[in-house]
Amino acid sequence: MKTLIIGANGKIGRLLAERCVKNDIPARAMVRTEEQQRQFEEMGLEAVLGDLEGDMSAAFDGCEQIVFSAGSGAATSPHKTLLVDLWGSIRAIELAEQKGIKQFIMVSSLKSCDPLRGPEKIRHYLVARHCADDRLIRSSLNYTLLRPGRLLDEPGTGHLNNEFDWSDTTNAHCTVSREDVANAITLLLKQPLPPGQAIDMIKGNNEIEEFLNLYR
Ligand SMILES: NC(=O)c1ccc[n+]([C@@H]2O[C@H](COP(=O)([O-])OP(=O)(O)OC[C@H]3O[C@@H](n4cnc5c(N)ncnc54)[C@H](OP(=O)(O)O)[C@@H]3O)[C@@H](O)[C@H]2O)c1
């Protein structure tokens, strides 16, 4: 089953791409530039050009699963949040439906289910994620919705948790390493969960495989 990684050139996307190559998991990177395409091909991964704000149809052809780990990022203006995080997500979900791609793993965000309880400066992003997540939940796809906390570049701990303090409105303690998220997605590609689940994800004390088994 070939997996299209949308956002492959991002931080989680690259960690995931490396793990797909290492574990012989069939995958394809969707990237935005020919330079990125060359880099992924040198790494040993097929790469196809596609843009969430433009044409991405060809990137989907021949894939049976999507991992969506793209996003406009904090450095861009809120209108990119609408175009990429909201509308790009929805377009990817609807394209997957049109093309008969049933499996969809979405990297969303902690508190996207209740944006007003998230950090004030990212509430617009959480609203965008909420609406995109809702479209995925209402889709015909077999989805897994991952809702990681504030992402850190530090080495993974190998452990995750799904319980957090809602009163921590800054997400100061609701953090998780990108490496742990990428490792969890790698395990999900090897062994999918029963579909239709949303998984909050912060650093914790459950070994990642055991953590995912809580949802089996
Ligand atoms: N930051 C946090 O604390 C946090 C917390 C919870 C969830 N999240 C979610 O987790 C996701 C993954 O995190 P990350 O750190 O890996 O993100 P990242 O490094 O910012 O990567 C985002 C990727 O999205 C791609 N992208 C942006 N616009 C695109 C477009 N129009 N078409 C196609 N691709 C596009 C970027 O492409 P280029 O490389 O070409 O720019 C980049 O590769 C984030 O996007 C966010 O939604 C983040």
Side-chain angles (χ1 to χ4, degrees):
M1 178 157 70
K2 184 173 283 185
T3 298
L4 178 67
I5 307 173
I6 300 179
N9 192 53
K11 289 182 173 177
I12 289 178
R14 277 191 170 266
L15 292 168
L16 178 62
E18 285 164 14
R19 282 154 178 75
C20 287
V21 172
K22 195 172 163 202
N23 292 280
D24 283 325
I25 296 171
R28 174 190 293 166
M30 187 177 107
V31 292
R32 290 201 282 178
T33 70
E34 288 180 358
E35 173 56 25
Q36 293 167 357
Q37 189 177 22
R38 257 192 308 278
Q39 287 175 12
F40 278 94
E41 285 168 355
E42 279 167 16
M43 193 202 288
L45 200 75
E46 184 188 349
V48 175
L49 293 177
D51 190 339
L52 289 162
E53 293 182 71
D55 188 15
M56 54 179 164
S57 180
F60 283 56
D61 288 336
C63 292
E64 289 92 40
Q65 176 157 247
I66 308 287
V67 172
F68 188 106
S69 184
S72 59
T76 59
S77 62
H79 89 271
K80 285 289 179 192
T81 310
L82 282 181
L83 286 169
V84 176
D85 303 271
L86 175 59
W87 196 236
S89 296
I90 290 175
R91 288 182 68 230
I93 292 161
E94 293 183 348
L95 194 53
E97 285 184 311
Q98 284 162 27
K99 292 191 180 268
I101 300 172
K102 293 302 288 178
Q103 307 297 123
F104 203 111
I105 298 174
M106 175 66 88
V107 179
S108 180
S109 173
L110 198 77
K111 298 183 181 169
S112 61
C113 57
D114 197 351
L116 292 182
R117 295 175 82 184
E120 195 166 348
K121 69 176 183 200
I122 65 161
R123 283 181 190 165
H124 65 291
Y125 160 75
L126 293 174
V127 169
R129 286 261 43 107
H130 180 95
C131 296
D133 294 354
D134 187 52
R135 178 65 186 87
L136 183 61
I137 290 165
R138 290 186 296 102
S139 75
S140 58
L141 304 176
N142 296 330
Y143 71 85
T144 300
L145 192 52
L146 303 179
R147 297 193 295 222
R150 191 161 55 84
L151 296 170
L152 303 177
D153 287 327
E154 62 190 35
T157 63
H159 292 75
L160 291 170
N161 196 3
N162 56 11
E163 286 170 11
F164 60 95
D165 180 4
W166 275 100
S167 70
D168 174 17
T169 52
T170 62
N171 282 1
H173 303 290
C174 302
T175 61
V176 62
S177 143
R178 287 179 171 87
E179 194 176 17
D180 284 333
V181 176
N183 285 336
I185 299 172
T186 307
L187 287 172
L188 293 178
L189 296 185
K190 290 183 185 169
Q191 207 184 345
L193 291 179
Q197 305 193 74
I199 304 179
D200 295 325
M201 218 174 237
I202 63 165
K203 72 170 78 166
N205 43 19
N206 299 291
E207 196 272 324
I208 295 177
E209 195 160 4
E210 282 169 22
F211 175 78
L212 295 174
N213 284 340
L214 297 173
Y215 297 87
R216 293 196 191 283

